[in-house]
Amino acid sequence: MFKNSKSAKVFAGVVGFAMVVAAFGAVVAPVKAQGTDLAALTALIASLQAQIAALSGGSSSTMTGVAPKAPLTMGSSGAQVTALQNFLDGNGYDIPAGATGYFGGQTQAALMAFQAENGVSPAAGYYGSVTEAKVASMLRPATPSTPATPATPSTPVTTGLQGGAGSVQDYNLISGLSGEEVGEKENDVKVAGLEIEADEGSDLQITAVKLVFNEGTAGSDFEDYADEVSVWFNGKEVARVDGDSFNDDNDWTRTLSLSGAVVKADKTGDLVVAVSGVNNLDSGDVGETWTVDFLSVRFVDEQNASTTEDPGTAVRTFSFETFATASDVEMKVSLNDDDDTINEAHVINVDDSDDTEDVEILSFTIEADGNSDIEVKDIPVNVNVTGASNIDDMITEITLWNGAGQVGDAVNVGTGVGADETYTFENVDVEVNAGDTEEFMVKVSFKSTADVDLDNGDTISAQLSATEVDAIDADDESGEAISDTDATGTAVGEAHAVYDTGIMVQFVSATQVETLSADEAGESDQGEFKVTFKVKSFDADARIDRSCEEGGANAAGQGVEFVITNSGDNTTTCVMSSSSTDSEDTTDTYEVDDNGLWRTMTLTVNATATSTAFAEISFESINWGVATDDTNANYYTFNLGDYKTGPLNLADL
């Protein structure tokens, strides 16, 4: 705690004493021999005794400062206490809080150490007349010297400042810092800020700021909430102390010396107070408030004139919260927009004899929104099937993946589990950094269609509804569990159909153009609508019914079913065409060979208005079959949302 070494002082005293004794003996002998008068000898002895006293700790030449006026004791405050604290701290008896002007426990401990080392008994930490006399006797007298030459205005004492005489034009609290929340384990949370505007006379160096923290609703000491207090100037740290340096001994008040805080003349600088929360906030202290006030600001101008003044601003209130609350932690779940081909309904090609493994059925993301990393430990996923009676009729295993590979434990779906079940991937242990997004993918292993329980056309879907999102086991970086209110969003995939043979369809383009514009009574506008798409088959040649129908239920022989959306009435005709030919084409079907190649087709619809209206075309289904199935009784209805044109306004005059 104390800077000076007592043993070093004693050693120096002993050496000095020996030197003085030797000098004394050397002087006395000649004096006796020469018969010098007694008065001169007495004066010499007194001088030597003073030197001996000084080296043994009783001299007025060992310490610096002023002697405060007694009495002072625990609880005293004011200028005399400040003088005592400056004396003690300046001579090696450390007071961590500095010269606060309040006589507390730290001041008492430093005073007791001084008394014990300098022969004041009892060393009780009470500053009375005996201690005052001791301090006065130990103060070092000013050494006569040539008076210093005053600094000229062109050579400022405070290096780097420009101008002359200056002052603060205005103080204002930073409006954006009010009602802040300091979370446990959070570092340097800004709780209050002071805008300091210098006048045009001089740059100003802010050398110190005096702060006071007062309990609002708090019932515990400040150190139970705050680990550190720091001060920042224009984004740069200029001071930092432990939270316990603001305590009940100094009424939560302390003056902090600042380094490197300069406000340029006619400019404004921001002085900000930040607080770091303790690592483990007591549950009873959560939500409790404190206030902070800028009691005074000390600054110097270019002429080294020092000014201390009260900014006269109001207090700022802030609270201490759990880490999650203060960090605004939110775990957002959503479908992965980059993987629409996985999440939208489509056909899945399964083998007719062997299991088909690791087929993607859902892609979703988890975002760590807020100021905290999130550790995701367990993720539940809901699975639904149609056609099949049970999930295990279709799949044997379900797994979870991210960019690094499989995460969490694989799940065996069991047997006889029903058509709607939720499976939890345990031990995922993936960390999502604050502000980042992690991509996940659900994969399943399908049985073969040779299994009597799996049929062509059965569907499967996976989702994280609100129920599953709330059940995700995840922690913020302080180790607290993400609450249901902080877990938001959903990721609901569409149903995918499984086939061992079938077709894949992709949208190409859609256009609409008015082909005839009515210009006299009795005529009607006409429009042409085109939707182009491409088809390929898998595991067998396929046939696409080349007929087309408007509306109605799916039925064999209806080819492409489309819907015309009207605000009035239109009559329509339609035709199917293909950009290529195949030797197996018939008047009723287009052949799509199982060669991995896409075949492009177009539906063209011509509409004539029978009343003033707008119209647009959209797909409902595509009728198809395999080469050996002349009924073409399968209906492709997946992912047809993009298969539509824009509207045309068609008038009937």
Side-chain angles (χ1 to χ4, degrees):
M1 176 179 184
F2 304 107
K3 302 171 185 174
N4 294 337
S5 170
K6 184 175 180 180
S7 60
K9 292 179 182 177
V10 173
F11 175 77
V14 170
V15 173
F17 181 82
M19 293 173 64
V20 171
V21 170
F24 178 76
V27 171
V28 170
V31 167
K32 288 181 178 179
Q34 297 173 17
T36 306
D37 62 40
L38 182 60
L41 180 59
T42 302
L44 179 60
I45 292 171
S47 174
L48 293 173
Q49 286 175 332
Q51 295 179 50
I52 294 170
L55 292 171
S56 62
S59 170
S60 62
S61 61
T62 58
M63 294 191 176
T64 61
V66 297
K69 299 299 182 182
L72 299 172
T73 187
M74 283 283 286
S76 298
S77 61
Q80 295 303 313
V81 174
T82 302
L84 174 62
Q85 292 169 329
N86 284 329
F87 168 79
L88 293 169
D89 200 50
N91 290 286
Y93 300 92
D94 188 36
I95 301 175
T100 64
Y102 176 82
F103 195 126
Q106 294 180 5
T107 302
Q108 184 185 53
L111 181 57
M112 292 172 65
F114 166 81
Q115 291 169 329
E117 288 192 16
N118 293 281
V120 178
S121 180
Y126 170 77
Y127 184 82
S129 58
V130 175
T131 307
E132 180 183 351
K134 185 66 175 180
V135 170
S137 71
M138 299 178 69
L139 292 175
R140 182 179 304 147
T143 303
S145 60
T146 303
T149 302
T152 63
S154 61
T155 309
V157 176
T158 305
T159 305
L161 300 186
Q162 301 293 323
S167 63
V168 173
Q169 182 78 15
D170 201 7
Y171 295 99
N172 288 291
L173 288 174
I174 296 175
S175 59
L177 293 176
S178 179
E180 303 302 315
E181 296 176 339
V182 180
E184 57 183 337
K185 201 179 177 181
E186 274 199 304
N187 293 322
D188 300 331
V189 180
K190 299 174 182 178
V191 297
L194 189 65
E195 294 177 344
I196 304 175
E197 181 183 356
D199 68 11
E200 61 185 10
S202 173
D203 299 343
L204 302 178
Q205 181 168 333
I206 314 301
T207 58
V209 61
K210 187 176 184 180
L211 303 173
V212 58
F213 290 93
N214 284 317
E215 298 116 315
T217 61
S220 303
D221 289 342
F222 190 66
E223 65 191 62
D224 294 331
Y225 302 84
D227 182 48
E228 290 182 325
V229 175
S230 55
V231 180
W232 303 72
F233 183 77
N234 290 345
K236 177 184 176 182
E237 182 181 324
V238 292
R240 182 178 294 272
V241 294
D242 289 340
D244 60 8
S245 65
F246 292 88
N247 52 62
D248 53 4
D249 289 338
N250 57 28
D251 287 335
W252 325 113
T253 304
R254 179 167 178 179
T255 299
L256 302 181
S257 297
L258 310 183
S259 174
V262 175
V263 184
K264 294 296 184 180
D266 205 26
K267 300 294 183 182
T268 299
D270 291 344
L271 193 67
V272 173
V273 177
V275 175
S276 298
V278 295
N279 284 343
N280 295 292
L281 184 65
D282 188 273
S283 59
D285 293 335
V286 172
E288 293 189 339
T289 62
W290 285 78
T291 64
V292 60
D293 190 11
F294 295 91
L295 290 184
S296 66
V297 173
R298 186 186 308 145
F299 60 88
V300 295
D301 60 14
E302 186 267 350
Q303 295 183 348
N304 210 41
S306 180
T307 302
T308 301
E309 58 189 16
D310 183 351
T313 50
V315 302
R316 284 301 199 203
T317 301
F318 61 97
S319 64
F320 288 88
E321 308 288 349
T322 63
F323 184 89
T325 299
S327 300
D328 296 325
V329 179
E330 184 177 359
M331 181 179 65
K332 293 182 176 180
V333 177
S334 60
L335 288 174
N336 187 356
D337 293 335
D338 295 334
D339 279 334
D340 287 342
T341 55
I342 295 175
N343 294 321
E344 293 181 351
H346 62 276
V347 171
I348 295 173
N349 178 15
V350 297
D351 198 90
D352 61 352
S353 58
D354 295 321
D355 289 355
T356 305
E357 298 180 347
D358 297 334
V359 179
E360 303 158 347
I361 63 170
L362 179 68
S363 180
F364 66 94
T365 63
I366 294 180
E367 178 186 358
D369 189 26
N371 303 320
S372 172
D373 300 341
I374 294 177
E375 182 185 3
V376 182
K377 297 188 288 187
D378 300 337
I379 300 179
V381 175
N382 177 257
V383 178
N384 288 275
V385 299
T386 65
S389 299
N390 302 302
I391 292 173
D392 57 283
D393 292 341
M394 295 186 67
I395 62 175
T396 59
E397 186 181 63
I398 178 171
T399 52
L400 184 68
W401 302 68
N402 70 354
Q406 184 178 334
V407 294
D409 300 331
V411 177
N412 188 310
V413 300
T415 57
V417 293
D420 182 349
E421 296 291 334
T422 297
Y423 300 97
T424 298
F425 299 103
E426 297 179 340
N427 303 314
V428 173
D429 299 334
V430 170
E431 185 170 298
V432 186
N433 294 328
D436 287 351
T437 299
E438 185 76 19
E439 298 179 358
F440 294 91
M441 190 174 298
V442 177
K443 299 182 181 182
V444 298
S445 294
F446 284 99
K447 293 182 175 181
S448 70
T449 54
D451 191 294
V452 295
D453 295 322
L454 181 64
D455 298 320
N456 285 316
D458 289 350
T459 70
I460 186 170
S461 63
Q463 64 178 345
L464 276 76
S465 68
T467 300
E468 286 75 45
V469 171
D470 286 347
I472 294 175
D473 185 6
D475 293 343
D476 63 30
E477 64 184 51
S478 73
E480 290 189 24
I482 301 295
S483 66
D484 289 354
T485 56
D486 292 329
T488 63
T490 60
V492 179
E494 298 180 0
H496 317 302
V498 296
Y499 288 90
D500 63 344
T501 59
I503 61 171
M504 304 287 186
V505 182
Q506 281 190 5
F507 173 78
V508 176
S509 65
T511 60
Q512 63 284 333
V513 61
E514 188 173 342
T515 56
L516 177 64
S517 179
D519 56 10
E520 61 183 51
E523 291 186 342
S524 299
D525 291 345
Q526 295 179 11
E528 180 183 76
F529 303 84
K530 288 186 176 182
V531 179
T532 300
F533 59 99
K534 56 185 182 179
V535 184
K536 71 176 179 180
S537 63
F538 58 85
D539 293 346
D541 295 342
R543 296 184 181 187
I544 304 300
D545 195 314
R546 61 192 300 176
S547 63
C548 51
E549 299 284 341
E550 178 184 347
N554 294 327
Q558 289 188 333
V560 172
E561 283 199 38
F562 65 90
V563 175
I564 182 166
T565 302
N566 298 290
S567 62
D569 293 319
N570 297 276
T571 59
T572 61
T573 60
C574 66
V575 63
M576 284 281 292
S577 61
S578 175
S579 61
S580 60
T581 60
D582 189 280
S583 60
E584 300 297 323
D585 288 348
T586 69
T587 57
D588 297 324
T589 62
Y590 288 119
E591 184 80 4
V592 181
D593 295 328
D594 178 23
N595 56 10
L597 301 178
W598 294 96
R599 184 170 183 184
T600 302
M601 303 175 191
T602 299
L603 169 69
T604 301
V605 177
N606 290 289
T608 301
T610 57
S611 65
T612 300
F614 76 85
E616 62 184 9
I617 301 298
S618 60
F619 270 34
E620 188 172 83
S621 68
I622 300 172
N623 186 212
W624 68 277
V626 295
T628 56
D629 178 13
D630 293 331
T631 63
N632 298 328
N634 300 299
Y635 308 101
Y636 186 98
T637 59
F638 311 104
N639 195 23
L640 296 179
D642 291 333
Y643 295 59
K644 61 188 297 185
T645 69
L648 286 177
N649 289 312
L650 302 178
D652 176 29
L653 302 183

